Amino acid sequence: RANGIEAEFINSSLSNNEISNVKEKCRSGKTKLLYMAPETIMQLHDSFLNEITVSLVAIDEAHCISSWGHDFRPEYLKLSFLRDKFSAVPFIGLTATADKVTRKDIITQMNLRDPNIFISSFDRKNLSLNVRRGIPEAKKIIEIVNLITKYKNDSGIIYCLSRKSTESVSEKLKAVGINC
């Protein structure tokens, strides 16, 4: 919008009336960019997607479509139906975190045809990664709390192996007063 492009989104923060207004803008061709989460696409695909003209499908955080990334968002794996539905439309997958194996899996999962692959450096000065193994379960939260306290004015992401463990860590951090 700041660049003069008619853009909208549909997600759970919108009322039914707001969603109807966005859909109508899309049907009329006024909206040029529409952002939807995979969960929203799965809810609307049988009706709404048949009513609009789609000229490009872009899947952000495409590493989630990979065989390892769908633990948190299982709907990402279901997005492959879009390739069949919009067979003549260009597709792009965007991610900042895909190694060679994951890139290959994204291509397979999205059924990309002779894709161009653009890779920039994985060296991002604003990010650091620290993997710690073999920490006893009882000490994990203590380690995380110490790290959060050390970097109290910074943002961070804690990766877990499953949604269940992510929710467990979140609850434990909330219990000690950490907003997460």
Side-chain angles (χ1 to χ4, degrees):
R1 289 178 181 164
N3 290 309
I5 298 170
E6 290 292 329
E8 299 289 344
F9 64 89
I10 297 176
N11 68 22
S12 61
S13 73
L14 299 179
S15 69
N16 287 337
N17 191 42
E18 290 170 318
I19 291 172
S20 292
N21 288 338
V22 170
K23 286 180 174 180
E24 188 51 42
K25 288 180 187 178
C26 292
R27 285 184 197 103
S28 71
K30 182 177 179 184
T31 296
K32 299 302 177 192
L33 284 172
L34 176 63
Y35 296 90
M36 291 190 292
E39 294 81 2
T40 304
I41 291 170
M42 297 314 297
Q43 291 172 354
L44 300 176
H45 74 84
D46 282 336
S47 57
F48 177 62
L49 293 183
N50 293 330
E51 301 170 0
I52 61 174
T53 301
V54 175
S55 57
L56 173 80
V57 174
I59 298 179
D60 195 16
E61 304 296 345
H63 57 274
C64 292
I65 206 168
S66 175
S67 59
W68 67 266
H70 65 278
D71 285 344
F72 297 100
R73 310 274 299 277
E75 286 77 7
Y76 267 93
L77 278 184
K78 299 174 185 172
L79 291 177
S80 60
F81 85 91
L82 291 169
R83 176 39 92 193
D84 294 329
K85 187 171 197 64
F86 302 110
S87 61
V89 172
F91 273 63
I92 60 174
L94 307 165
T95 180
T97 56
D99 60 14
K100 190 174 187 175
V101 172
T102 304
R103 288 191 303 268
K104 184 175 180 185
D105 197 27
I106 290 168
I107 291 166
T108 301
Q109 295 291 339
M110 290 178 65
N111 193 19
L112 299 180
R113 303 174 198 133
D114 195 27
N116 292 315
I117 300 172
F118 301 92
I119 302 170
S120 105
S121 173
F122 283 101
D123 183 21
R124 296 171 59 186
K125 293 178 185 0
N126 64 329
L127 298 178
S128 64
L129 179 64
N130 187 337
V131 178
R132 297 182 182 191
R133 296 176 189 215
I135 299 172
E137 193 64 35
K139 290 185 119 184
K140 285 182 183 179
I141 295 299
I142 294 168
E143 293 253 349
I144 293 169
V145 169
N146 288 340
L147 193 62
I148 291 170
T149 303
K150 181 177 177 181
Y151 297 100
K152 63 182 175 185
N153 294 322
D154 294 327
S155 297
I157 300 172
I158 301 166
Y159 287 98
C160 301
L161 293 177
S162 68
R163 182 180 191 149
K164 183 177 178 181
S165 64
T166 301
E167 291 168 352
S168 173
V169 168
S170 176
E171 290 303 316
K172 290 174 184 174
L173 291 174
K174 287 177 186 176
V176 296
I178 294 174
N179 185 17
C180 62

